[in-house]
Amino acid sequence: MKDKKIIIFDSTLRDGEQALQQSLSLNQKLQIALALENLGVDVIEAGFPVSSPGDFNSVQSIAKNVKNSIVCALSRVVDKDIDACYEALKVAQHFRIHTFIATSDLHMKDKLKKDFNEVLIMAQNAIKRARNYTDDVEFSCEDAGRTPIDNLCKIVEEAIKAGAKTINIPDTVGYTLPYEFGEIIKNLFNRVPNIDKAIISVHCHNDLGMATGNSLSAIMQGARQIECAMNGLGERAGNCALEEVVMAIKTRTQFLDGLYTDIIHENIAKTSKLVAAICNEPVPSHKAIVGSNAFSHSSGIHQDGVLKNRETYEIMTPQSIGINDNRMLMTARSGRHMIKICLDNLGYAANTYNLDDVYARFLKLADKKGQVYDYDLEALMFLSQDKEEQMGFVLENLNVISGAKGVIPTASVKMSIDGELKTESSTGNGPVEAVFNCITRLTQIECLLKNYNISAKGSGVDAQGQVDVDVEFKGRRFHGKGLSTDVIEASAEAFISVFNAIHRYLLIEDVKRNAG
Ligand code: KIV
Ligand code: ZN
């Protein structure tokens, strides 16, 4: 009987990194490699050592520092590439040399200018050379998805005879469909006589959005290694996303005949965030598994269902990937039930307020504000309408000096504070911090900036910058948003909106104290 474990081979640092706008530093690659090791990845493809001295050094450093995962490096079927892999990897606890050549007619004729026999011999020689350095040799038939099946069977058989222990079948251009790709793997198992001497691996690109489906189809036909990348990074539309394929295997293990991976699911969310931040590749909010919306429920009907039984709209828990916070968004689409539960969680007994009244005011606020937070709801409960809408802090004027080579970023902010005009100046590590310091002094509210995010709304020179900030104040999270064509002004507005939320919260605390 075949082993049920699926080996997870991560190529974030090779296929993923080669597709980034700017390459990563050695230290950044090492941080990602250690996070992947922590995630329980079986094989980390660390880079392509012959491609540059920087890549060589990064692979070497990862090889030195990673202890539990196998560290792998890529080479063409060329002696100097294979030797460079060995030189970079030899310090590792466990290492693998991965060598590849294209096998489709199109690639052989137009790219390599070689015939199939020449390709076959180059592959055999490269595998044998790599086997002088290690038993753990992987061979990939690039563009296998478009390789005639007779040639594919032949080269797989010969590669195994030459000593490859893993044979990788890439759908390099993301062209195949799940049924078709599964049939390729099935054919290999039926037709290659020595197939049981190697692990069959797959490496699917996502050009038609099929990477995860194709990988799952392949393991149903006997493949036992999946090559993937965190957040689906990789050439063009990317590789099979690690988080998707791993959670699909976990969630549908019964359908998949008990197949499993050794990935520590609870580390998925934080690894995704780290990779997104280091690679400067934000994850879209609707991205499966790791998008910020992936576990959020917005519509009233969905929220009502989830509150009654979360399985109505959740096939896995956010906790299973390491997210602990509540993902119920309060928007104008939220129903009464949601608002009542939120008030329950805040500690308000149902007989202490009129739900119809709070809900009607909530809807008005949600129409104006978009997303409503729990502290906004408390403001509705405690503050009269004009108090609730009244802004404690308003930006009146902003002046910033910043520059390069020794210029100290300095800001001066004029604000109206409960109707009175006040001005402060401050320096900072950058203009945004200088503005934040001014506003902190003016409001006399000390909070911790936990998250600062800037995104473009629109394109071209008149695009607006939207700044979203999260701060922590007395153990609670507050959110602020600012929008302007000037990103420093958007930052100031975001800070002021979050300080206004805290100001309202302090007013509520006062009202509660006086009432008690
Ligand atoms: O997509 C591909 O074919 C590759 C190989 C080098 C495995 O990345
Ligand atoms: Zn690839």
Side-chain angles (χ1 to χ4, degrees):
M1 215 184 53
K2 260 198 157 327
D3 191 4
K4 303 267 188 212
K5 157 145 174 170
I6 302 298
I7 298 163
I8 295 297
F9 174 116
D10 179 279
S11 192
T12 307
L13 291 170
R14 200 278 298 165
D15 211 314
E17 206 261 354
Q18 80 195 32
L20 296 178
Q21 308 267 337
Q22 81 264 31
S23 44
L24 304 177
S25 69
L26 185 147
N27 213 28
Q28 288 173 320
K29 288 185 190 171
L30 188 57
Q31 282 174 325
I32 292 180
L34 294 175
L36 294 172
E37 182 183 34
N38 240 352
L39 181 63
V41 161
D42 300 290
V43 188
I44 297 174
E45 189 167 45
F48 193 177
V50 85
S51 65
S52 72
D55 223 43
F56 181 96
N57 292 338
S58 312
V59 173
Q60 191 173 51
S61 163
I62 292 168
K64 251 186 228 152
N65 288 287
V66 165
K67 300 290 173 229
N68 301 319
S69 313
I70 296 170
V71 182
C72 172
L74 185 69
S75 70
R76 293 166 299 181
V77 287
V78 172
D79 289 356
K80 70 171 188 323
D81 287 32
I82 294 166
D83 299 347
C85 281
Y86 173 66
E87 287 308 317
L89 290 170
K90 64 185 180 195
V91 286
Q93 208 98 330
H94 320 277
F95 72 87
R96 172 180 297 184
I97 298 177
H98 176 193
T99 186
F100 78 101
I101 188 164
T103 53
S104 66
D105 291 347
L106 184 68
H107 278 234
M108 288 192 300
K109 180 167 166 285
D110 290 345
K111 186 181 81 175
L112 300 175
K113 318 251 183 251
K114 297 203 182 303
D115 66 25
F116 182 63
N117 272 332
E118 290 171 286
V119 164
L120 195 60
I121 290 165
M122 288 173 81
Q124 287 167 318
N125 289 341
I127 295 165
K128 286 182 189 152
R129 189 175 187 95
R131 276 299 303 263
N132 289 330
Y133 293 129
T134 173
D135 287 348
D136 195 347
V137 174
E138 171 169 332
F139 172 68
S140 284
C141 325
E142 192 190 8
D143 206 16
R146 293 188 298 175
T147 297
I149 192 69
D150 289 348
N151 281 354
L152 195 60
C153 289
K154 176 78 182 153
I155 199 161
V156 167
E157 182 180 348
E158 294 305 324
I160 297 173
K161 275 193 205 152
K165 291 282 186 267
T166 302
I167 300 289
N168 185 37
I169 308 297
D171 180 17
T172 302
V173 287
Y175 179 69
T176 63
L177 303 181
Y179 177 77
E180 185 186 13
F181 194 62
E183 285 295 295
I184 294 175
I185 304 301
K186 188 168 155 188
N187 261 305
L188 290 174
F189 275 99
N190 287 338
R191 293 180 48 184
V192 176
N194 55 357
I195 193 108
D196 57 320
K197 305 273 183 308
I199 301 273
I200 298 302
S201 164
V202 290
H203 175 113
C204 298
H205 278 267
N206 205 28
D207 301 66
L208 292 174
M210 301 290 162
T212 303
N214 282 348
S215 305
L216 293 174
S217 179
I219 59 174
M220 288 171 82
Q221 298 301 337
R224 285 295 177 266
Q225 174 174 287
I226 293 178
E227 300 198 357
C228 47
M230 202 67 227
N231 299 340
L233 294 179
E235 282 287 346
R236 305 178 311 281
N239 280 95
C240 172
L242 179 148
E243 64 279 7
E244 290 177 17
V245 81
V246 163
M247 289 312 285
I249 292 171
K250 175 175 155 60
T251 309
R252 301 305 311 275
T253 180
Q254 264 181 328
F255 182 78
L256 295 169
D257 202 21
L259 294 176
Y260 69 94
T261 73
D262 280 342
I263 293 296
I264 303 161
H265 310 105
E266 293 75 14
N267 289 349
I268 286 181
K270 67 175 181 195
T271 313
S272 160
K273 280 206 184 102
L274 180 112
V275 168
I278 292 181
C279 297
N280 198 16
E281 284 288 342
V283 173
S285 58
H286 55 275
K287 166 81 185 60
I289 318 290
V290 291
S292 59
N293 255 10
F295 291 93
S296 299
H297 304 283
S298 304
S299 94
I301 293 172
H302 287 211
Q303 290 180 343
D304 182 52
V306 169
L307 291 168
K308 287 171 176 152
N309 176 355
R310 68 163 194 83
E311 286 180 16
T312 49
Y313 291 98
E314 262 182 28
I315 57 165
M316 55 199 151
T317 62
Q319 288 77 12
S320 65
I321 63 153
I323 296 174
N324 293 318
D325 36 328
N326 173 12
R327 292 295 169 126
M328 293 288 203
L329 299 184
M330 283 191 287
T331 67
R333 290 178 301 283
S334 297
R336 248 166 253 274
H337 188 185
M338 173 70 212
I339 303 310
K340 183 178 172 304
I341 296 277
C342 183
L343 289 171
D344 281 356
N345 291 341
L346 287 167
Y348 296 103
N351 59 0
T352 61
Y353 60 89
N354 178 331
L355 183 59
D356 287 340
D357 180 47
V358 175
Y359 186 63
R361 292 173 65 200
F362 159 78
L363 284 181
K364 269 200 214 148
L365 182 66
D367 270 341
K368 216 179 328 158
K369 203 173 169 223
Q371 194 169 338
V372 174
Y373 295 85
D374 55 357
Y375 47 83
D376 294 320
L377 210 53
E378 275 197 297
L380 287 180
M381 302 271 295
F382 281 96
L383 305 180
S384 63
Q385 188 112 11
D386 45 324
K387 260 252 166 333
E388 175 202 307
E389 280 171 9
Q390 176 191 314
M391 304 279 277
F393 311 124
V394 181
L395 180 66
E396 295 291 343
N397 196 290
L398 170 67
N399 210 325
V400 174
I401 301 167
S402 124
K405 305 210 189 290
V407 175
I408 297 172
T410 310
S412 138
V413 175
K414 189 199 260 185
M415 272 168 62
S416 150
I417 299 180
D418 288 330
E420 198 185 327
L421 288 181
K422 290 192 177 161
T423 305
E424 266 291 353
S425 299
S426 179
T427 58
N429 284 318
V432 171
E433 197 197 26
V435 169
F436 182 75
N437 291 342
C438 288
I439 298 175
T440 301
R441 282 192 199 163
L442 284 164
T443 57
Q444 296 181 354
I445 293 173
E446 291 283 341
C447 59
L448 206 60
L449 184 60
K450 294 297 246 185
N451 188 27
Y452 172 92
N453 187 47
I454 183 157
S455 53
K457 296 283 158 208
S459 55
V461 283
D462 56 351
Q464 304 227 80
Q466 178 173 315
V467 173
D468 283 277
V469 293
D470 290 304
V471 304
E472 199 174 283
F473 178 76
K474 295 194 173 168
R476 273 182 89 158
R477 282 268 180 153
F478 294 84
H479 178 82
K481 185 165 87 179
L483 193 69
S484 168
T485 46
D486 177 332
V487 292
I488 305 295
E489 187 181 342
S491 305
E493 291 293 3
F495 292 139
I496 288 178
S497 92
V498 85
F499 280 104
N500 268 316
I502 297 174
H503 181 64
R504 267 198 308 273
Y505 164 73
L506 291 171
L507 279 179
I508 296 163
E509 292 298 292
D510 258 0
V511 174
K512 281 190 199 164
R513 251 193 313 275
N514 292 338

